[in-house]
Amino acid sequence: YAVCLLMADSPKQCSASAIAELKALGAKRIAMLTGDDPGSAQSTALALGIQEFHAGMLPGQKAEWLEKLDKGKSCNHKVCFVGDGVNDAPALARADTGIAIGAGTDIAIESADIVLMKSDLQDVAVALDLSRATMRNIKQNLFWALFYNAICIPVAAGVLAPWGISLNPMIAAAAMSLSSLFVVTNALRLLELPEEAQQLLFEDKISAGHARAILSIPTAEGREKLTQRLVKDPISVRETEAIARLMAGKKEGETAKRPQTPKSYKTVAR
C-alpha cells in the first residue's frame, strides 16, 4: 500500500484582510519574501491576493532584496518589512521601518522599530494609521503654537505699547498656559474609541478589525451603541463592519470610510 501524506500551513483569516487594508492605505508595492519552496509560496500568495512573491530566500537574501529596493525607490517612498522569525531579523533591521509580531522571536523583536502587541496582521494597518495621525497632529500643534506665540509674545513684550496696546503680566502667563492647553487638547483627539471598547481590545476580546468598524461610525452615540452590542453578543469582524455601514448610512457595496485617527494603544513604538 502507498500512503501520501500532505501537510501545509493555511494563512490566518486576518491575513487577507490585512493585505486589503494596506492596499486601501495606498501601499504602492506589496511583496512576500519567504524561505518556503515556490509551490507553497505561490499558493499562499494567491490566497492572500499578493501578486509578487519571492521563495527560497535566506535571511541575508531578504536584506539584500530590501537594499536593492531601497536604492531603486523614489525618495518619498518608505520600505516597511513585517516579520516574526529569526530569518526575518536582518530584513527587519535593514528596512526603513521594521514591524515585528509580538509573539515572534526575541531577535526579531529586538531588530524591529515597532512591536505589535498581538499576532494580528491587521494591526500593521493600525500602526501605519497611527503614525500618519501622529505626524499630522504634530504639524497641527507646531503651527498653532507658533502662530499663537508669534502674536502673543510681541504684545506681552510691549511692542505695541506706543499705540496703547499692552498686556498685563498675569494675563500673559495665563495666555501661555492656554497655548499648552490647546496643544494637549488637540493631541487627545487621537483617542476616539469608547473606553469600554478600549478595554475589550486590551483584553483581546475584539480585534483591530472590530475597532476600525466602530471608528467608521461618525457619531459618538453610534460608536457607543455598537460597542454595547459587542459586549452583549460577540460577532465577527465582517458582521461588525456590516452593522457599522448601516449605522453610518452606507450601502452594502460601499467601503466604510477609514478613520483618520487610529489608536495608539494597539502598538508599542520604541
Side-chain angles (χ1 to χ4, degrees):
Y1 295 93
V3 177
C4 181
L5 181 62
L6 299 178
M7 300 180 66
D9 290 329
S10 58
K12 292 183 178 180
Q13 294 181 352
C14 64
S15 299
S17 299
I19 299 301
E21 290 283 349
L22 292 174
K23 291 179 180 179
L25 276 171
K28 300 297 182 182
R29 184 178 179 183
I30 298 177
M32 184 178 71
L33 310 183
T34 177
D36 294 340
D37 64 273
S40 299
Q42 182 179 19
S43 176
T44 302
L46 290 175
L48 299 179
I50 300 176
Q51 303 298 325
E52 180 181 357
F53 66 92
H54 301 272
M57 300 188 75
L58 298 174
Q61 292 175 323
K62 293 181 181 181
E64 291 174 0
W65 190 87
L66 290 179
E67 185 174 359
K68 293 178 181 179
L69 182 64
D70 188 61
K71 292 180 179 179
K73 69 180 177 66
S74 173
C75 60
N76 60 341
H77 290 166
K78 299 297 182 181
V79 177
C80 177
F81 184 86
V82 183
D84 63 350
V86 175
N87 294 340
D88 298 322
L92 286 168
R94 179 63 187 80
D96 293 324
T97 302
I99 301 179
I101 307 298
T105 60
D106 291 340
I107 188 172
I109 292 175
E110 290 296 326
S111 302
D113 302 298
I114 298 174
V115 180
L116 303 181
M117 296 177 64
K118 294 165 52 181
S119 299
D120 188 348
L121 287 178
Q122 288 183 312
D123 287 350
V124 175
V126 176
L128 295 179
D129 267 348
L130 170 62
S131 65
R132 292 179 178 180
T134 302
M135 290 303 300
R136 183 168 57 249
N137 198 279
I138 290 173
K139 292 176 182 178
Q140 292 170 354
N141 287 341
L142 285 174
F143 170 77
W144 287 111
L146 289 173
F147 178 77
Y148 185 89
N149 288 304
I151 294 176
C152 293
I153 290 178
V155 175
V159 173
L160 301 180
W163 292 274
I165 300 176
S166 60
L167 197 62
N168 186 290
M170 291 186 293
I171 298 178
M176 288 303 298
S177 299
L178 285 177
S179 175
S180 300
L181 180 63
F182 291 155
V183 170
V184 172
T185 303
N186 187 46
L188 289 176
R189 292 191 306 108
L190 290 173
L191 297 175
E192 289 186 350
L193 201 63
E195 292 186 7
E196 196 163 9
Q198 294 183 30
Q199 186 63 30
L200 291 174
L201 206 52
F202 276 123
E203 294 175 357
D204 206 15
K205 293 181 178 179
I206 63 174
S207 68
H210 288 98
R212 279 194 296 275
I214 294 172
L215 287 168
S216 67
I217 301 173
T219 63
E221 182 182 358
R223 292 192 291 268
E224 188 65 35
K225 186 179 295 184
L226 183 53
T227 300
Q228 292 298 328
R229 167 70 185 275
L230 290 173
V231 171
K232 296 177 181 178
D233 181 24
I235 56 179
S236 67
V237 174
R238 186 179 296 274
E239 290 174 313
T240 306
E241 290 175 343
I243 295 174
R245 279 195 296 269
L246 291 175
M247 297 180 72
K250 292 183 176 294
K251 296 179 180 179
E252 184 65 27
E254 294 179 340
T255 302
K257 183 179 179 182
R258 171 173 292 280
Q260 296 297 316
T261 54
K263 305 295 127 283
S264 58
Y265 46 78
K266 287 298 294 169
T267 58
V268 177
R270 300 178 304 144

